[in-house]
Amino acid sequence: MTNSDTQIASNSIESYLHDCRVKMGESIREIREKKGYNQEQLAEIMKVSRTTISKIESGKFNCSIDYLSKFSWFLGFEFKFEINK
């Protein structure tokens, strides 16, 4: 693989990761709103800052499995992994 190929692959994965963070954040925001919480309320019950909630929902924060688990617990949803066929 050439340096050019490596750079293209790196840019592609970064773009893919960003898109995944944005989609996940949008889903979390939708669920939060359906449950009737604002960002401040959710941050308080999760014991995190409102800024953290905002960054996750906007795709600007690399959310860990621990944060996903907290969202799942406090917002009452299940997340699962699927294999694309």
Side-chain angles (χ1 to χ4, degrees):
M1 190 179 265
T2 67
N3 285 341
S4 174
D5 292 339
T6 302
Q7 184 64 37
I8 290 169
S10 178
N11 289 342
S12 295
I13 190 66
E14 288 304 317
S15 177
Y16 176 77
L17 292 173
H18 176 264
D19 291 347
C20 288
R21 284 192 301 266
V22 169
K23 288 177 191 175
M24 182 184 61
E26 289 171 351
S27 296
I28 289 170
R29 179 177 36 252
E30 287 177 21
I31 295 167
R32 174 183 57 76
E33 290 173 348
K34 284 180 184 175
K35 295 289 184 172
Y37 292 115
N38 63 35
Q39 287 182 343
E40 189 67 40
Q41 292 167 325
L42 182 58
E44 186 175 320
I45 64 172
M46 286 180 61
K47 308 259 188 275
V48 299
S49 72
R50 190 211 50 83
T51 305
T52 298
I53 299 293
S54 176
K55 286 180 180 178
I56 290 170
E57 288 185 353
S58 65
K60 296 177 183 172
F61 186 84
N62 185 4
C63 189
S64 70
I65 191 71
D66 291 347
Y67 277 108
L68 284 175
S69 298
K70 279 184 163 186
F71 281 116
S72 174
W73 177 266
F74 289 110
L75 293 176
F77 68 88
E78 180 181 333
F79 65 92
K80 60 184 174 182
F81 299 96
E82 292 184 10
I83 298 173
N84 293 329
K85 295 179 182 178

